[in-house]
Amino acid sequence: MSPSSFTTNRLRFCLNILGTSLIVFGSLCVPSQATAQTSQPQNQTPRKYSLGPDSTRGQDVPKGTVTEHTLLESQVFPGTKRRYYVYVPKQYSKDKPAALMVFQDGHAYVSDEGQYRACVVMDNLIHRGEMPVTIGVFVDPGHRAEKLPEKRGWKPRPANRSIEYDTLSDAYVSFLVDEVLPNVTAEYNVTDNPAGRGICGASSGGICAFTAAWQRPNQFGKVISHIGSFTNIRHGDTYPGIIRKTEKKPIRVYLQDGSNDLDNEHGNWPLANQQMFAALKFKGYDVKFDFGEGAHSGNHGGYLLPDALRWTWRDYTGVEPKLSMIPVPQDAPWAKKWWMPRHDLKLAQRKSMPQVDLLMIGDSITHSWESAGKQVFDEFYGQRNTLNLGFSGDRTEHVIWRLQSGAVDDINPKLAVLMIGTNNTGHRKENPDHTAEGIRRIVDELKLRLPTTKILVLAVFPRSQQPDNQLRKINNAINENIQTIGNLENVWYLDIGDKFLDEDGTLPKSIMNDFLHPGEKGYRIWAEAMEPTVAELMK
């Protein structure tokens, strides 16, 4: 993700925390002489994110087992006691080394009713082959007491947490490698390949996860940091400078934070995470940064955990990467100058409209209702309070990113029309089943955000002049897969592809000059063919 992917939230964040006038140069926020000192960004309500289907236990998904263990003595952290939990997926076999994920603040991640629900998510993703068969180890911070509290959790707060998590040394990773993981590997066949070993945590646990991989990249090659405390609790704010001046290490890093995260005497969490992202990007790391509008909690990170795991494990042996489902902004060179500004423009347009009754969502074919199809659009949709969210070049993963980044917040349309997928075909000849899964994921995102809105999913339009063309066949296969999507509640499916074709299946140049994008005649065919369904659904 490029830094521009979170420009809007960054500027909004700067406006919130300064409490005074700004001069904006490029993407930098420069305060005037007086600056408000606050412990939390002001004048913005943190956005609440709802967990999606990946965080809900699937009916036919095999359930892994979770066992609880105690570690009552430690050589690295003398006088500490703790619990840890081991998750073993149903698909585990001792004949094949499993991947490994270690979670800090284990009790917060392991619970099926918490904000992260990591075991539920891993059950779902492992079942679908979107991450490898993975042993999960969930480690609680150390308590300094004669005995462990009766119940796991934050009460009482583990006294040794900051020492273990915020310290920039190899002490904690040594503790994991020498004192915790041997108990796991003695019972289970776990890979010793660092590319198959990930580590995750939130807040101080987030910087702890990074420190563990930074100190011992021969043990952990993958990092997931939620709302990471890269601030001056114990000198974590020095990491960006250290990263820039240190030889690149073989680790992959996922970062998440929100514009309503903390701002206190230790530092500013959103700015600290942006600095981390910038330093890692500068140094050429494989890094992804999801920056939203959440606060210092697991709400946003839990919502994104399925995507974080998909991205983190996307190219691991045995995992079939489903790029169609991993949300990213458009970063093609030809789109960099206009794509993000269009996203910002559409956010502003959405906010300025008193009412949005009809949504159009898609790629260049939908985008061009504003150009080649404008006359027809004005005739059919000009008086229907329509918001066009078509973006040229978009694939399913770009639409998912836009939906997750505020595109349909705070509106309640009567109908959303979705037509997407032909760029998944044209750009990389993607497996049509993967594209179909991306389309279904978009529908899930729409249902999550617009629970009362009716959704009309259009079959992907035919492309290429001849019916036996490979790209045409791929699009046909996508449509065959998604035609049952209309069985979902409040979702309809409509295939009007034959309206564009001659009797022999040929696509006329008079309708799509480049055999992909409709001209004005093609847009009229589209509008007239769809109108009875649109009119009925918008009643």
Side-chain angles (χ1 to χ4, degrees):
M1 183 186 301
S2 67
S4 63
S5 66
F6 52 86
T7 296
T8 302
N9 282 332
R10 180 170 62 230
L11 292 176
R12 186 186 297 117
F13 164 74
C14 293
L15 286 166
N16 288 336
I17 67 168
L18 291 177
T20 184
S21 61
L22 288 178
I23 305 172
V24 179
F25 297 98
S27 61
L28 298 178
C29 299
V30 183
S32 63
Q33 293 181 356
T35 303
Q37 298 297 320
T38 61
S39 61
Q40 181 82 18
Q42 301 296 305
N43 304 321
Q44 182 184 353
T45 302
R47 180 176 168 189
K48 297 297 182 183
Y49 296 83
S50 299
L51 295 175
D54 291 323
S55 302
T56 302
R57 193 164 291 288
Q59 184 175 0
D60 300 322
V61 176
K63 182 179 180 180
T65 60
V66 177
T67 53
E68 181 176 312
H69 308 264
T70 59
L71 191 64
L72 302 180
E73 296 180 0
S74 171
Q75 297 298 314
V76 178
F77 300 115
T80 63
K81 300 174 175 64
R82 73 195 69 229
R83 292 179 175 91
Y84 68 95
Y85 319 87
V86 179
Y87 158 85
V88 181
K90 193 74 172 178
Q91 297 86 346
Y92 167 76
S93 170
K94 64 180 181 180
D95 298 328
K96 184 177 181 180
L100 174 72
M101 281 290 298
V102 178
F103 296 82
Q104 279 43 251
D105 294 316
H107 62 85
Y109 280 91
V110 78
S111 172
D112 283 4
E113 303 300 324
Q115 292 180 308
Y116 292 101
R117 306 185 184 187
C119 298
V120 175
V121 173
M122 289 197 292
D123 277 343
N124 287 326
L125 269 58
I126 292 170
H127 174 64
R128 295 197 298 269
E130 294 169 11
M131 68 176 290
V133 173
T134 304
I135 300 290
V137 181
F138 300 79
V139 186
D140 284 351
H143 290 273
R144 289 187 173 276
E146 291 186 3
K147 61 180 182 179
L148 281 172
E150 290 186 9
K151 296 182 179 180
R152 67 191 188 192
W154 297 113
K155 295 181 180 180
R157 192 172 185 85
N160 214 48
R161 183 173 184 266
S162 181
I163 292 173
E164 295 173 9
Y165 286 4
D166 293 306
T167 302
L168 307 190
S169 74
D170 66 352
Y172 184 77
V173 68
S174 296
F175 161 74
L176 289 179
V177 171
D178 297 337
E179 299 187 13
V180 178
L181 294 183
N183 299 326
V184 178
T185 57
E187 187 170 355
Y188 302 104
N189 186 1
V190 176
T191 183
D192 57 5
N193 180 355
R197 296 162 72 105
I199 186 163
C200 173
S203 188
S204 291
I207 190 174
C208 175
F210 180 81
T211 297
W214 182 258
Q215 292 286 353
R216 301 282 287 275
N218 63 328
Q219 290 290 331
F220 295 102
K222 293 176 168 61
V223 176
I224 296 178
S225 170
H226 296 124
I227 53 174
S229 298
F230 298 101
T231 55
N232 192 18
I233 298 175
R234 294 178 186 268
H235 309 296
D237 57 330
T238 62
Y239 260 137
I242 294 171
I243 291 167
R244 288 175 181 270
K245 293 186 176 183
T246 303
E247 184 177 350
K248 181 183 172 185
K249 302 188 179 188
I251 57 176
R252 172 179 292 171
V253 183
Y254 172 90
L255 303 170
Q256 171 270 323
D257 200 19
S259 57
N260 283 277
D261 204 348
L262 297 174
D263 180 28
N264 60 29
E265 67 272 18
H266 299 298
N268 184 288
W269 269 248
L271 290 179
N273 276 272
Q274 290 179 41
Q275 288 275 26
M276 283 292 293
F277 172 69
L280 290 163
K281 195 73 173 176
F282 169 80
K283 205 66 179 179
Y285 280 85
D286 185 6
V287 58
K288 187 176 191 289
F289 182 25
D290 279 333
F291 188 55
E293 298 175 38
H296 198 76
S297 76
N299 175 248
H300 185 214
Y303 160 70
L304 290 172
L305 181 60
D307 290 327
L309 289 169
R310 283 192 190 94
W311 181 83
T312 298
W313 294 103
R314 66 189 186 276
D315 55 0
Y316 192 70
T317 303
V319 174
E320 190 173 11
K322 297 179 180 177
L323 301 180
S324 62
M325 297 182 67
I326 302 175
V328 292
Q330 177 65 265
D331 63 355
W334 49 264
K336 284 186 176 179
K337 288 185 178 180
W338 64 265
W339 194 91
M340 195 59 67
R342 179 172 172 85
H343 175 67
D344 294 343
L345 178 66
K346 288 299 177 179
L347 295 181
Q349 183 181 353
R350 183 207 75 213
K351 292 178 181 179
S352 70
M353 294 176 66
Q355 175 65 31
V356 176
D357 289 323
L358 177 61
L359 276 176
M360 297 280 201
I361 304 170
D363 48 40
S364 58
I365 297 172
T366 300
H367 190 156
S368 291
W369 277 117
E370 299 174 5
S371 51
K374 188 176 188 311
Q375 182 173 339
V376 180
F377 182 91
D378 290 343
E379 179 182 339
F380 281 82
Y381 312 116
Q383 302 304 313
R384 278 174 157 162
N385 300 321
T386 305
L387 178 61
N388 182 350
L389 295 180
F391 282 53
S392 294
D394 269 16
R395 300 185 294 270
T396 54
E397 62 264 33
H398 304 130
V399 175
I400 297 167
W401 186 91
R402 289 195 275 123
L403 295 178
Q404 291 186 349
S405 301
V408 297
D409 286 2
D410 305 318
I411 56 176
N412 186 28
K414 297 177 181 177
L415 177 64
V417 177
L418 171 67
M419 206 275 287
I420 192 70
T422 199
N423 288 324
N424 294 67
T425 296
H427 291 175
R428 56 182 180 235
K429 295 181 181 177
E430 188 162 13
N431 181 327
D433 291 342
H434 291 187
T435 303
E437 288 190 57
I439 293 170
R440 292 178 184 276
R441 172 73 189 278
I442 292 169
V443 171
D444 286 341
E445 293 286 343
L446 286 170
K447 289 170 69 69
L448 193 66
R449 288 167 174 75
L450 306 173
T452 65
T453 296
K454 297 173 182 176
I455 302 169
L456 176 61
V457 179
L458 296 179
V460 184
F461 286 175
R463 62 181 298 163
S464 308
Q465 185 175 25
Q466 299 301 324
D468 60 352
N469 180 275
Q470 182 186 11
L471 300 184
R472 174 87 71 90
K473 289 180 178 180
I474 294 175
N475 278 3
N476 290 342
I478 296 170
N479 295 336
E480 184 176 352
N481 186 304
I482 66 171
Q483 60 185 338
T484 58
I485 205 167
N487 296 333
L488 298 173
E489 184 179 2
N490 244 20
V491 181
W492 284 258
Y493 174 76
L494 179 64
D495 187 347
I496 62 170
D498 62 336
K499 305 295 183 183
F500 300 105
L501 303 174
D502 288 339
E503 290 185 3
D504 63 357
T506 301
L507 181 58
K509 194 170 185 178
S510 60
I511 292 176
M512 297 184 187
N513 184 59
D514 61 355
F515 306 114
L516 176 62
H517 299 91
E520 183 175 346
K521 182 179 178 180
Y523 279 101
R524 184 163 295 278
I525 292 172
W526 179 0
E528 290 177 351
M530 187 171 66
E531 178 57 26
T533 304
V534 170
E536 179 65 25
L537 294 178
M538 291 190 68
K539 284 183 179 178

